[in-house]
Amino acid sequence: MTFSKTRRLAMTGLRLGLLAVVVVLAFGPGFLEVGTMRLCAQVFLLMVLAMMWNLLAGYADIVTVGQHAFVGIGAYALYGLTAKAGLSLPVAILGAGAVALVLAVPITAIVFRMRAAYLAIGTWVVAEVCTLLASKIPGYGGATGITLPGQVIRALGGNVRDRFANLYWISLGLVVVAYLATALLLRSRVGVGLMAMRDNEEAAGAIGVNLVASRIICFLWAALFLGLAGGVLALLNLRIQPAASFSLIDYTVYVIFAAVIGGVGSIEGAIIGVLVYVGLRNAFSDYSNLYLMFLGALSILIMLVEPRGIWGLIRRVLPENIILVSHPYRGRAGREQGES
Amino acid sequence: MTAERTSALLDLRGVSMRFGGLSVLDTLDLAVAPGEILGIIGPNGAGKTTLFNVIAGVLPPSEGRLIFDGRDVTGQKVWHRCRMGIGRTYQIPKPFGKMSVFENVMAAAIHGGGVSIHTARGRAEEVLERTGLLHRATLEAERLSLLDLKRLELAKALGQRPRLLLLDEIAGGLTQAECDVLLQIVRQTHVEGTTIVWIEHVIHALRSIAGRMVVLYGGKLIADDTPDAVLADERVRSVYLGEVT
Ligand SMILES: Nc1ncnc2c1ncn2[C@@H]1O[C@H](COP(=O)(O)OP(=O)(O)O)[C@@H](O)[C@H]1O
Ligand SMILES: [Mg+2]
């Protein structure tokens, strides 16, 4: 079962390539237009959203259609922590994640009483309730929302270019941290259990994987990163508004399409899915309804051909994932026997 | 969890299992002593696999209680029972298809065995070697043949180092030589201190290793004795052996 040298080389090449892309992206604000930086920041945040949905649906079998709840909570928390509490931006962004995490605890207690389709509906209902509550908080602009105050916007940067450069870096930082942290989670003991759950839930329980604890960890994990992304999204949009900050379509439905097209149950799938989605969105921007139907049809088609999405197709020729979350067997006493 | 005065490692008290109107286990009493090898036989559909599902915690019994190691585990989740030391194989293998064979066993050692990832790696290698699967270590489990999948079931259970090992028809389809190897593995596991309950249709294999044998029929145990005595029993011969020949 030894892989040929060329395949091994190809894997190393892909990994270095990915690293190079991240390094080049870090210098993005040096050469990108403001509009492009804004688009990139959106793409990075969508990648965080897709990865979290993927973690829940692809590994923990929690098919949620309510993850926009935590995005919106993050956005509203950011407004509160900056405009009301006067905290600095870095603290407020981290705070947005923390608030989402804390609110996820009672939400977990509610939705985890349900399974499968009921759980999906439950997450949606919870998100709708959150949207409604957000419009009722006094001083947060009601149903029409509210713009971030001038001092918050100025704290982002003195001019438009600086502001978007900072938002770009914050979003890039968030996506890198979210992916690295999630990869480490998947490599940990918990992650080994999640992979087992993904492949066969009953058998995972039978080898001692605590299905309930694993699910709760994933749900809270996702809430934290969704909240962080929600906070940054509020900064990117410069305002909060119930319907927009808690957008079912933008932060859940499209994200699900992206995750499914890219491939559930893999980290690479979430990245690819968002790139394909945004690419299609820009190509079809003139036909909004048609585009939604096309995206839906594409995800169904891909699911039929390869349930593990585009990355599943690519994996038919690649020996392993680029972002290695598995624990390959390396043979006796370091003697290479197989998968590197 | 009340402490129970019992010397048995596993003690089933009045356990019934009904699916709707279908009664599969009927107020069953069964005690498994620490260190024994208990064979279970019975015709297809007798409820043998159901019994394992009840013991492992996949199915909550309709009635009755289960005591494991002196503790009432009736309400305990599957994974808690596993961590307490109950390991099982599935008659119809349930591999973690997208994980490598190595990772399948590693996962069992980490979660069921409660060891670190590092320790689990070493243990997985050792168990795969013992079960003759080491040359398949890097393969995705879903690519294994049925025979190898059955070996993987055993390897996963052994990776947990269970105190009680439930084996569900793992000898079917093996050649005589392969069956001897399997018996050797089970014997070795037993010597290392594991109590074994083995459901098997390959009677000669079971006869050669079990210290005690029970026959499940109609939701009840209709015989409970040494294998030789059980297999000589008139009733057993008529309901069981008569049926398979
Ligand atoms: N989860 C279940 N739901 C309904 N019926 C079941 C279930 N599991 C087993 N049965 C039924 O219980 C009976 C015993 O099955 P099983 O325990 O698999 O028998 P054995 O392993 O002895 O061949 C069969 O009639 C089977 O159809
Ligand atoms: Mg059976």
Side-chain angles (χ1 to χ4, degrees):
Chain A
M1 293 312 300
T2 353
F3 291 122
S4 63
K5 272 231 165 62
T6 43
R7 279 175 136 193
R8 205 174 291 238
L9 225 60
M11 287 316 300
T12 313
L14 283 170
R15 279 179 195 135
L16 289 175
L18 183 66
L19 195 67
V21 168
V22 175
V23 170
V24 170
L25 283 176
F27 292 101
F31 55 85
L32 293 175
E33 301 286 322
V34 166
T36 317
M37 283 195 282
R38 187 188 157 82
L39 177 67
C40 286
Q42 282 175 345
V43 168
F44 298 150
L45 296 174
L46 278 176
M47 282 177 179
V48 175
L49 268 46
M51 184 63 231
M52 293 309 139
W53 190 81
N54 185 11
L55 175 68
L56 294 186
Y59 292 90
D61 192 30
I62 305 169
V63 180
T64 146
V65 288
Q67 72 168 17
H68 51 292
F70 297 111
V71 178
I73 288 171
Y76 271 70
L78 184 105
Y79 180 82
L81 294 171
T82 53
K84 303 276 178 192
L87 295 179
S88 72
L89 276 184
V91 177
I93 293 171
L94 294 177
V99 170
L101 177 63
V102 169
L103 290 182
V105 174
I107 292 176
T108 310
I110 299 168
V111 297
F112 278 33
R113 295 184 181 280
M114 310 168 225
R115 284 300 300 142
Y118 296 100
L119 188 142
I121 295 166
T123 57
W124 176 73
V125 170
V126 165
E128 290 306 299
V129 170
C130 288
T131 314
L132 193 67
L133 289 178
S135 70
K136 304 283 183 215
I137 313 172
Y140 282 69
T144 47
I146 194 162
T147 312
L148 295 183
Q151 81 267 15
V152 176
I153 297 170
R154 276 190 297 280
L156 263 178
N159 58 48
V160 174
R161 185 157 186 97
D162 282 357
R163 282 204 279 278
F164 280 103
N166 282 332
L167 284 170
Y168 175 99
W169 274 316
I170 293 169
S171 309
L172 180 63
L174 181 57
V175 73
V176 169
V177 169
Y179 276 66
L180 282 181
T182 306
L184 286 178
L185 174 74
L186 291 174
R187 273 191 68 85
S188 72
R189 300 166 63 91
V190 173
V192 172
L194 289 173
M195 311 264 180
M197 280 170 70
R198 173 197 65 188
D199 288 356
N200 191 314
E201 194 173 309
E202 186 190 324
I207 61 151
V209 178
N210 188 325
L211 304 183
V212 172
S214 302
R215 284 211 173 88
I216 291 175
I217 289 169
C218 285
F219 200 78
L220 297 181
W221 185 275
L224 169 67
F225 284 103
L226 293 169
L228 289 168
V232 182
L233 275 163
L235 290 172
L236 203 56
N237 299 328
L238 295 178
R239 70 195 316 269
I240 53 166
Q241 198 241 328
S245 298
F246 290 83
S247 169
L248 166 69
I249 293 285
D250 287 334
Y251 304 142
T252 297
V253 175
Y254 283 143
V255 166
I256 293 177
F257 283 150
V260 167
I261 290 170
V264 286
S266 69
I267 294 182
E268 292 84 349
I271 300 175
I272 294 171
V274 169
L275 292 178
V276 170
Y277 157 67
V278 173
L280 288 174
R281 187 180 71 181
N282 290 355
F284 282 74
S285 55
D286 297 339
Y287 323 84
S288 62
N289 289 339
L290 214 66
Y291 157 70
L292 183 59
M293 280 163 60
F294 178 70
L295 209 58
L298 182 67
S299 31
I300 291 170
L301 184 75
I302 286 185
M303 287 240 272
L304 291 176
V305 177
E306 169 57 67
R308 296 198 176 264
I310 294 176
W311 185 246
L313 289 172
I314 297 174
R315 269 302 305 274
R316 291 182 186 179
V317 290
L318 280 189
E320 60 187 16
N321 289 333
I322 296 178
I323 301 167
L324 205 58
V325 293
S326 60
H327 297 266
Y329 176 58
R330 291 182 198 284
R332 276 261 143 79
R335 184 165 48 87
E336 298 261 326
Q337 275 212 341
E339 237 164 327
S340 60
Chain B
M1 263 172 292
T2 46
E4 301 286 336
R5 298 238 25 102
T6 173
S7 59
L9 179 62
L10 176 73
D11 199 355
L12 276 68
R13 300 184 182 170
V15 167
S16 296
M17 188 70 228
R18 284 183 294 270
F19 300 109
L22 179 69
S23 173
V24 176
L25 302 176
D26 183 8
T27 50
L28 209 73
D29 292 311
L30 176 66
V32 182
E36 85 172 321
I37 300 182
L38 171 67
I40 299 183
I41 61 171
N44 278 326
K48 305 182 296 297
T49 298
T50 302
L51 178 64
F52 272 10
N53 282 334
V54 169
I55 296 172
V58 176
L59 295 171
S62 315
E63 265 162 39
R65 292 194 303 146
L66 287 103
I67 317 296
F68 179 70
D69 194 24
R71 290 203 282 168
D72 190 327
V73 296
T74 316
Q76 294 275 353
K77 298 279 190 201
V78 178
W79 51 88
H80 288 137
R81 295 191 204 186
C82 174
R83 293 294 288 266
M84 286 176 72
I86 301 180
R88 61 97 50 102
T89 68
Y90 280 100
Q91 180 181 353
I92 297 162
K94 292 187 192 288
F96 305 122
K98 291 282 172 192
M99 295 166 76
S100 72
V101 167
F102 177 71
E103 286 174 306
N104 267 260
V105 182
M106 216 186 87
I110 290 172
H111 287 276
V115 300
S116 69
I117 290 182
H118 180 78
T119 310
R121 295 188 72 100
R123 192 186 283 184
E125 182 170 52
E126 172 200 311
V127 168
L128 287 176
E129 177 145 68
R130 193 192 279 201
T131 49
L133 275 177
L134 195 57
H135 65 297
R136 298 266 181 261
T138 63
L139 207 63
E140 276 186 355
E142 66 183 8
R143 293 171 193 268
L144 290 180
S145 67
L146 179 62
L147 229 52
D148 278 341
L149 282 175
K150 291 204 162 212
R151 291 192 178 103
L152 180 59
E153 281 297 313
L154 178 62
K156 274 159 54 183
L158 292 182
Q160 299 163 31
R161 297 245 172 106
R163 292 164 62 202
L164 174 67
L165 176 59
L166 309 172
L167 301 172
D168 196 351
E169 300 198 27
I170 54 167
L174 297 182
T175 64
Q176 188 54 52
E178 288 167 338
C179 193
D180 288 342
V181 171
L182 174 64
L183 283 168
Q184 193 47 47
I185 297 169
V186 176
R187 228 171 249 127
Q188 175 73 22
T189 309
H190 179 242
V191 166
E192 288 166 8
T194 300
T195 304
I196 290 162
V197 180
W198 189 352
I199 294 172
E200 192 51 76
H201 276 307
V202 183
I203 302 229
H204 67 86
L206 209 51
R207 178 178 216 159
S208 72
I209 199 168
R212 179 183 156 210
M213 189 179 272
V214 297
V215 182
L216 188 62
Y217 181 72
K220 300 246 184 218
L221 295 181
I222 59 161
D224 182 349
D225 210 327
T226 63
D228 288 340
V230 164
L231 294 169
D233 187 285
E234 271 308 309
R235 224 167 126 221
V236 172
R237 296 190 74 83
S238 67
V239 304
Y240 183 62
L241 301 176
E243 185 183 294
V244 291
T245 48

